Amino acid sequence: MRMMVRSVNGKMAIGWAKESKGCLSSTMTRASNTWKDNQSSQILLSPPLVTLDLPDIWAANSTHYDPPSGQKISNVQIGTVINGKSIAEEIRSRVASEVKRMKECIGKVPGLAVILVGDRRDSQTYVRNKIKACEEAGIKSVMAELPNYCAEDDVMTAVLKFNEDPSVHGVLVQLPLPEHLDEEKILNVLSLEKDVDGFHPVNMGNLAMRGREPLFIPCTPKGCLELLIRSGVEIAGKKAVVIGRSNIVGLPISLLLQRHHATVSIVHACTKNPEQITREADIVVTAAGVPNLIRSSWLKQGSVVIDVGTCPIEDPSSEFGYRLVGDVCYEEALRVASAVTPVPGGVGPMTIAMLLCNTLDSAKRVYGFA
């Protein structure tokens, strides 16, 4: 069964020697305070990435190693549900207020174009929700729908048309595309300045490089990060495991967590002992697309779990004939983790909220609107 992202998941273990924690903590605190002082007009809590960049300071003779200890799974429900829906609604409300202010001040509104290829039910649902969210926020939306077996040139023609439209500030190609289409070739045609999904190679490259700031951070990873920050989860110095190595979620969220000073490992379908590796993590972000892959035995007591996996399961009683479930066995996770995102109602609404934020930012940049 496929999910909203292509591919199942990679291993990249980055070991850090024990750092000078006093220096790290004080520098992070100063950066955080500076950001908060200037953040009154901002919508999100996550700071610009360049404000987080620190020099790597290695201890001289560090042999720090904490072997995993045996864990006892509590039968008492202790996990907090991270309500992505309510957090996303708050962000969308602030976006709508900014769009209204823009319209009143300069007579312009942000515009988003969506290109949908094929008849995947999950993609249709995502696009439908994005268009609805734009309407509610006052953002202009247009859509190009193409058949499953359309030619590559047809998709690129649609992209180029929106690239040249001055009323469109963001262009989104709904992924995954049908297998006969060259995804990389199509995304390379997309204007960097309108890449609100954040998948352009330049945006991804700037996300990966210290001292660089991408124009746009991919929406789902950006939403995951915002959920962690708003839930008060400490990221710096923590062990994080990302399950999945897709260009859409796995790769960018691993880069984003590293920019926030987590120690990141990536687990994928070829990883040996994925359960053991995941069980050592303080933060787990999973985007495998395998229903109930992550059981309680995979999780460290008190960990934080962000479930990006969105899998359509046949359900005749549902409005659209299916329902969505995640990678994580939710009921089990609540008995082990300190906080868990549900599916639906967790990361999904945040992805759309981040798309609106990116589109608004793009329009502000074009019009010089502060």
Side-chain angles (χ1 to χ4, degrees), residues 259-279:
R259 293 291 295 267
H260 282 260
H261 310 294
T263 301
V264 183
S265 296
I266 302 179
V267 169
H268 56 89
C270 298
T271 300
K272 295 181 179 179
N273 303 319
E275 182 176 336
Q276 178 182 341
I277 295 170
T278 305
R279 195 163 50 239

Side-chain angles (χ1 to χ4, degrees), residues 29-314:
T29 299
R30 286 197 301 271
S32 175
N33 288 340
T34 300
W35 167 244
K36 288 177 181 177
D37 290 342
N38 298 324
Q39 202 249 346
S40 58
S41 63
Q42 302 297 321
I43 293 173
L44 305 182
L45 297 184
S46 49
L49 296 180
V50 290
T51 67
L52 301 173
D53 288 336
L54 301 172
D56 283 343
I57 303 173
W58 293 72
N61 292 302
S62 176
T63 57
H64 179 68
Y65 173 68
D66 288 330
S69 58
Q71 73 168 7
K72 294 181 180 179
I73 298 176
S74 170
N75 290 322
V76 179
Q77 181 172 320
I78 60 171
T80 298
V81 177
I82 300 177
N83 191 334
K85 184 177 181 180
S86 64
I87 294 173
E89 286 175 353
E90 177 187 345
I91 293 171
R92 286 168 59 170
S93 176
R94 296 193 66 178
V95 169
S97 296
E98 279 294 283
V99 171
K100 181 180 180 182
R101 185 171 72 88
M102 176 183 285
K103 185 176 182 179
E104 291 173 347
C105 291
I106 63 174
K108 304 286 187 179
V109 298
L112 175 69
V114 181
I115 298 171
L116 175 64
V117 183
D119 54 3
R120 280 182 57 124
R121 293 183 303 177
D122 54 345
S123 291
Q124 290 173 337
T125 298
Y126 304 142
V127 169
R128 184 166 54 244
N129 290 340
K130 290 167 184 175
I131 296 298
K132 181 180 178 182
C134 284
E135 292 173 353
E136 293 174 351
I139 294 175
K140 169 192 170 183
S141 64
V142 293
M143 184 169 67
E145 294 186 75
L146 299 171
N148 191 63
Y149 291 103
C150 67
E152 209 164 74
D153 286 346
D154 294 335
V155 184
M156 289 194 291
T157 297
V159 173
L160 291 170
K161 175 186 175 183
F162 291 133
N163 279 351
E164 297 169 1
D165 187 340
S167 70
V168 171
H169 307 97
V171 180
L172 182 157
V173 180
Q174 183 64 43
L175 301 178
L177 293 170
E179 292 183 0
H180 72 283
L181 298 175
D182 187 334
E183 185 176 293
E184 180 182 358
K185 184 177 179 182
I186 291 170
L187 292 181
N188 281 341
V189 174
L190 180 60
S191 168
L192 174 64
E193 291 77 14
K194 297 188 179 185
D195 174 39
V196 288
D197 248 346
F199 296 147
H200 192 285
V202 173
N203 276 322
M204 291 289 280
N206 285 335
L207 176 61
M209 298 179 68
R210 293 159 60 84
R212 302 286 185 92
E213 188 80 35
L215 285 177
F216 306 102
I217 296 173
C219 299
T220 298
K222 187 175 182 177
C224 292
L225 204 285
E226 191 71 16
L227 285 177
L228 290 172
I229 291 175
R230 287 174 180 258
S231 300
V233 177
E234 184 179 357
I235 301 174
K238 297 299 182 179
K239 292 182 180 180
V241 164
V242 176
I243 303 175
R245 54 178 171 178
S246 71
N247 290 338
I248 300 173
V249 180
L251 173 61
I253 189 61
S254 67
L255 296 173
L256 197 53
L257 287 167
Q258 287 183 75
R259 293 291 295 267
H260 282 260
H261 310 294
T263 301
V264 183
S265 296
I266 302 179
V267 169
H268 56 89
C270 298
T271 300
K272 295 181 179 179
N273 303 319
E275 182 176 336
Q276 178 182 341
I277 295 170
T278 305
R279 195 163 50 239
E280 297 177 359
D282 303 300
I283 300 169
V284 176
V285 181
T286 176
V290 181
N292 296 323
L293 171 68
I294 312 303
R295 309 302 296 265
S296 60
S297 61
W298 287 56
L299 301 175
K300 175 182 177 180
Q301 193 81 36
S303 58
V304 177
V305 181
I306 305 294
D307 190 354
V308 185
T310 308
C311 316
I313 301 296
E314 296 292 337

